[in-house]
Amino acid sequence: MPDKSRPFPNLEIDYSEVDGRTYNCIGDCALCCLCQPELLPQEEEKFRKDPRLAAGIAHRHISPDVRGAAIKLKGAHGACHFLTGRRCEIYPERTHFCRSFPINVFVGWRIQLNVNMSCRGIGLPGESLRDAGNLVLEEYGSNMLASELRDANQVFTEFVRNTRDAWISQSFSSIRGAAGALAGELSEELGISQLLTFAEHGSLRQNASADQIARMVRKTEPEANVQERALIDGTELFDLPDLTLLPIYIDEGLRWKIFKLVDKQIVGYELSEDGATRELSRTDPSTVDLMPVTSEGKKRFQEYIGLVNSRDCFLGHAAYLCDSEGYEYNFAQVYLGALANNALDLWWRASFLAALSGKEQLGPDEIREGIVFFDMDLLDLPTIGAFI
Ligand code: SF4
Ligand code: SF4
């Protein structure tokens, strides 16, 4: 009997992120309808034949990485053309991208299913994400998955060869082991500062063990000013000219919010379907400090960092950075530096949102809001390997 929970037994597929998780799509959320959906070639053909669907094909893409056709947005930076009153007008014919959300399929040296943790439906009782993931995989079919995997495998093999040639190689399991051991320290200034200093000024021999890497980090004299970096990076995050490029946060009341740096103030806007904005708040970024994290908040923070550490797309992102820096730094340093920067980003975003609500510390709920605000952007980082 074929195993329905593993429809492609010949392909290496990692289900660890979806296993044991359920989700239920929340009516009136439509966060995913703010991402410009791409059309698969067969979908484009279908859309072009039907004038009602063809009217939704974009002439301008918000991301330069979009290769084929995509659906246009309302106005310059609103929601999908087909969204009206937070309802999809073409629901039975919506795209593969829309049906897949919140699942992402990443192809690297293996296939891995990732979940977009910005979706507030995750964790609600409902559909098993493993089953949802298998449906997404089945739509691609084994031939396409195998061919994508072959291509991505080559890229990863070449990356590993390059790190060996440059004497900066490290096994993926050692790096992840070290990051896992250090994850609990990433909601503390000392832990982040040590990791950032190690990433920038440390040294490491090739093929160190996880214990050796973690020991080297803990021995590092911390030099990075974490509050200062959080402020600089946090402010830069909102300093973008095009509203479509700004990170989106869906609050607990399902309002879509964007934040933009205007005259040294972070201005918060509510975004509507047609792209209109209504100002909600003004914050002087220098008044936002990284807030202390409660012990329960730390548990949630650590859990999430563990999830990031298990994502192949994050490892692919570190590989991308290593490659773009010309293989200058040891791969473990690049990886751990990227992890520390992202942990700092999450901590700052959670602190920023909590400050807006008048809070002074971060418990699990405040960390969760930070994750909702952050995860979509993390999954969008440039990477070696590809989401298909
Ligand atoms: S983000 Fe999640 S809950 Fe919201 S509409 Fe999309 S799938 Fe549903
Ligand atoms: S096609 Fe429908 S489900 Fe997909 S993004 Fe547009 S409105 Fe949302």
Side-chain angles (χ1 to χ4, degrees), residues 32-35 37 71 80-83 87-91 94-95 97-98:
C32 45
C33 303
L34 293 169
C35 314
I71 296 185
C80 170
H81 173 82
F82 294 112
L83 192 75
R87 289 281 176 273
C88 175
E89 288 173 353
I90 57 159
Y91 193 76
R94 69 198 190 287
T95 69
F97 169 89
C98 314

Side-chain angles (χ1 to χ4, degrees), residues 76-336:
H77 39 253
C80 170
H81 173 82
F82 294 112
L83 192 75
T84 302
R86 298 219 180 172
R87 289 281 176 273
C88 175
E89 288 173 353
I90 57 159
Y91 193 76
E93 291 148 308
R94 69 198 190 287
T95 69
H96 172 79
F97 169 89
C98 314
R99 287 194 307 276
S100 306
F101 209 90
I103 300 276
N104 292 290
V105 180
F106 184 77
V107 187
W109 67 94
R110 62 179 175 180
I111 294 168
Q112 189 181 55
L113 295 178
N114 296 137
V115 183
N116 193 318
M117 303 301 280
S118 296
C119 164
R120 286 190 177 274
I122 291 166
L124 298 178
E127 194 178 351
S128 136
L129 279 166
R130 180 168 182 132
D131 293 349
N134 274 333
L135 286 178
V136 175
L137 292 174
E138 275 165 18
E139 280 202 45
Y140 287 118
S142 64
N143 287 345
M144 181 182 166
L145 291 172
S147 133
E148 293 277 352
L149 190 54
R150 255 191 320 273
D151 293 349
N153 237 310
Q154 272 178 11
V155 182
F156 264 94
T157 307
E158 192 185 325
F159 167 74
V160 171
R161 198 181 313 123
N162 290 343
T163 58
R164 282 196 194 126
D165 291 348
W167 293 85
I168 59 156
S169 92
Q170 223 55 259
S171 79
F172 297 169
S173 62
S174 293
I175 294 177
R176 282 180 160 165
L182 297 162
E185 291 151 50
L186 286 176
S187 52
E188 289 163 15
E189 284 189 42
L190 173 66
I192 293 198
S193 183
Q194 279 184 315
L195 262 186
L196 290 174
T197 312
F198 172 73
E200 285 158 23
H201 306 295
S203 66
L204 193 64
R205 66 169 180 80
Q206 267 208 121
N207 300 325
S209 69
D211 281 353
Q212 286 166 333
I213 301 171
R215 246 197 329 271
M216 291 295 283
V217 173
R218 291 199 178 107
K219 267 172 44 186
T220 304
E221 195 58 45
E223 284 172 14
N225 184 330
V226 172
Q227 288 281 0
E228 197 178 284
R229 288 223 192 177
L231 175 62
I232 294 169
D233 296 351
T235 310
E236 266 178 14
L237 181 68
F238 304 125
D239 190 11
L240 295 168
D242 186 344
L243 295 196
T244 51
L245 302 175
L246 290 168
I248 292 184
Y249 166 63
I250 181 163
D251 74 8
E252 288 170 287
L254 304 182
R255 287 190 296 177
W256 301 331
K257 291 181 175 171
I258 51 173
F259 302 92
K260 182 168 169 41
L261 192 72
V262 182
D263 299 331
K264 298 188 181 162
Q265 300 270 305
I266 300 173
V267 184
Y269 301 94
E270 180 170 359
L271 180 69
S272 60
E273 255 175 47
D274 60 4
T277 51
R278 183 172 70 89
E279 186 175 322
L280 294 175
S281 59
R282 268 179 190 254
T283 311
D284 175 352
S286 66
T287 61
V288 182
D289 286 334
L290 292 170
M291 286 188 188
V293 186
T294 66
S295 56
E296 288 303 307
K298 278 185 183 181
K299 269 192 211 156
R300 182 160 278 188
F301 200 111
Q302 185 173 356
E303 221 173 78
Y304 179 71
I305 295 296
L307 176 82
V308 174
N309 188 32
S310 68
R311 281 182 174 163
D312 295 349
C313 62
F314 187 75
L315 200 137
H317 169 61
Y320 168 90
L321 294 176
C322 208
D323 183 71
S324 51
E325 287 161 2
Y327 297 88
E328 196 179 333
Y329 298 96
N330 188 288
F331 184 40
Q333 284 174 266
V334 180
Y335 183 95
L336 294 173

Side-chain angles (χ1 to χ4, degrees), residues 53-69:
L53 298 176
I57 297 179
H59 301 296
R60 185 181 86 92
H61 297 161
I62 55 176
S63 161
D65 302 333
V66 175
R67 283 166 291 182

